[in-house]
Amino acid sequence: MELRTASNPRDVKFYDTARLREEFLIQNVFVPDDFRLVYSHIDRIITGSAMPINKTLTLTAGDELRAEYFLERREMGVINIGGKGIITIDGRDYTVDFKEGMYIGMGSKDISFKSLDAAVPAKFYFNSTPAHKTYPTVLIKPEGTPEEGVVIVKDSNKVELGCLEDANHRTICKYILPGQVESCQLVMGMTKLEPGSVWNTMPCHTHDRRMEVYLYFEVPEDAVVFHYMGEPTETRHIVMRNEEAVISPSWSIHSASATHAYTFIWGMAGENQAFDDMDAVAMKDLR
């Protein structure tokens, strides 16, 4: 597990490109037949992945957590952006298809991941945060029929915003949040931009009470994403490519433009779970 410390905004304004990328960018998110785990001191979030191909991957705590098992004091949200796979939790199998997700509650001990077809492996992306209470483990589907242990994303949690004229026509799909899938602090979802749109979260905002992690995917090989960060009056950018993630501190804006439409998964952790708790930044105030 890779460890990253928090950064002071007064220091970040002096970072060059290499240092910005070292501190905030997560590359090689998906490693064949292995886990990739990055532990950030910012709200103690773990950004991780499992990409099983020829074997089943079993999640362990490692020395960094000083825990008997990974979710002894944590909760986890997972979204699959690859082929169909199976997550086994304490002996129960959950089949997780493309863009389906899971919330896994604190106290779940034995967690493993496998793909149903090695030729089209699953790509399980997850965020894990400290927890104080156990909430039910559920499979999350954007569409479908409700059944035991399965939550279907409510129509009210699928929000269409923007327009093609402003190059920001997008749909936000909220997976984990109060009133739908309960958690201690983790909020998680996905935003998909429509063809011809390239901007997300602009006008931008900050939220001092929560940090955020983005995973950009469905980015063509010859395209790039410009992820914007920094204090509103000291903005910076990081050039990103397909299936790369970026850590956004609570004091930083987090928006992007790209050379092609894309999709991204967002995960938040911190003081509260109010999706709309944000401090808007006027376009005229950006520097």
Side-chain angles (χ1 to χ4, degrees), residues 35-274:
F35 290 99
R36 172 84 161 100
L37 301 169
V38 176
Y39 183 117
S40 173
H41 284 190
I42 304 173
D43 285 309
R44 302 287 168 174
I45 194 168
I46 294 176
T47 300
S49 70
M51 186 180 173
I53 300 178
N54 298 308
K55 62 182 181 180
T56 298
L57 300 177
T58 300
L59 185 63
T60 60
D63 294 337
E64 293 82 1
L65 295 185
R66 300 293 194 272
E68 181 183 345
Y69 53 94
F70 196 92
L71 294 187
E72 182 178 2
R73 301 182 298 269
R74 289 183 158 268
E75 59 187 357
M76 178 186 289
V78 186
I79 297 178
N80 180 16
I81 65 167
K84 187 178 294 187
I86 293 177
I87 302 178
T88 302
I89 303 168
D90 293 334
R92 178 173 177 178
D93 291 343
Y94 297 85
T95 300
V96 186
D97 211 337
F98 180 60
K99 291 187 178 178
E100 293 181 349
M102 287 204 71
Y103 171 78
I104 307 175
M106 182 185 75
S108 300
K109 290 186 177 181
D110 299 319
I111 303 172
S112 62
F113 304 84
K114 69 178 180 181
S115 296
L116 290 182
D117 184 353
V120 188
K123 293 181 177 181
F124 297 108
Y125 171 79
F126 55 83
N127 292 154
S128 173
T129 55
H132 60 273
K133 178 181 177 179
T134 298
Y135 285 100
T137 292
V138 292
L139 177 63
I140 307 166
K141 297 186 177 184
E143 308 284 347
T145 303
E147 54 185 283
E148 183 182 358
V150 178
V151 172
I152 307 301
V153 176
K154 299 176 181 177
D155 288 341
S156 60
N157 286 329
K158 300 172 186 175
V159 182
E160 188 173 353
L161 296 174
C163 61
L164 184 58
E165 289 77 9
D166 291 335
N168 65 357
H169 186 196
R170 63 201 189 276
T171 300
I172 301 172
C173 188
K174 305 170 187 177
Y175 285 55
I176 301 171
L177 78 166
Q180 178 168 270
V181 174
E182 301 297 330
S183 66
C184 292
Q185 66 164 313
L186 181 64
V187 177
M188 199 170 180
M190 180 187 301
T191 300
K192 179 177 178 59
L193 276 72
E194 298 300 323
S197 290
V198 297
W199 279 99
N200 80 71
T201 323
M202 186 62 74
C204 62
H205 60 259
T206 60
H207 29 68
D208 280 346
R209 292 150 295 282
R210 290 174 296 160
M211 62 82 68
E212 197 156 4
V213 178
Y214 279 7
L215 171 78
Y216 292 99
F217 69 106
E218 297 186 327
V219 180
E221 185 176 354
D222 60 349
V224 295
V225 175
F226 292 85
H227 177 83
Y228 302 104
M229 62 162 297
E231 294 177 289
T233 56
E234 284 283 349
T235 58
R236 302 289 186 270
H237 75 268
I238 298 176
V239 175
M240 299 181 61
R241 291 173 172 81
N242 190 45
E243 297 180 356
E244 294 185 341
V246 63
I247 299 168
S248 177
S250 58
W251 47 263
S252 175
I253 66 168
H254 38 279
S255 65
S257 63
T259 58
H260 191 280
Y262 52 92
T263 306
F264 65 98
I265 295 171
W266 42 268
M268 294 185 280
E271 182 69 23
N272 65 27
Q273 296 174 293

